[in-house]
Amino acid sequence: TEQTVLLVAAFGNVLKGIPFEKIGEFNKGLLEYINKNSHSLSSLLNENSALSSEAKEQIVSLAEEYKRKVNL
């Protein structure tokens, strides 16, 4: 599920503009942020093998929110 979150964020262009050397730090922080702030997303990811468009939108939204929060 962590890989899914990171891939959706990447394909959603959230990583655009983040310096290459900061991607690992961003990914780690993003996963922690999502785990703390979106229990509904965690349950959606765990119960479905297919990723819904709602879950994808939620991942991208949370990733963009986190990106703004850490000023990257």
Side-chain angles (χ1 to χ4, degrees):
T1 58
E2 289 181 349
Q3 288 179 329
T4 302
V5 168
L6 297 177
L7 285 171
V8 170
F11 285 119
N13 291 320
V14 177
L15 303 180
K16 189 175 181 179
I18 298 175
F20 179 76
E21 62 275 1
K22 299 269 188 182
I23 296 289
E25 178 184 338
F26 177 83
N27 287 345
K28 182 180 177 191
L30 174 61
L31 293 172
E32 290 172 2
Y33 183 79
I34 287 176
N35 283 331
K36 288 180 184 175
N37 295 293
S38 184
H39 299 293
S40 62
L41 179 60
S42 296
S43 63
L44 271 177
L45 291 172
N46 289 330
E47 69 186 40
N48 294 327
S49 57
L51 193 61
S52 70
S53 58
E54 176 189 350
K56 290 177 189 176
E57 289 173 12
Q58 191 173 2
I59 291 168
V60 170
S61 176
L62 285 164
E64 289 173 343
E65 183 179 301
Y66 175 72
K67 184 178 178 182
R68 283 191 302 274
K69 189 172 185 155
V70 295
N71 293 320
L72 289 175

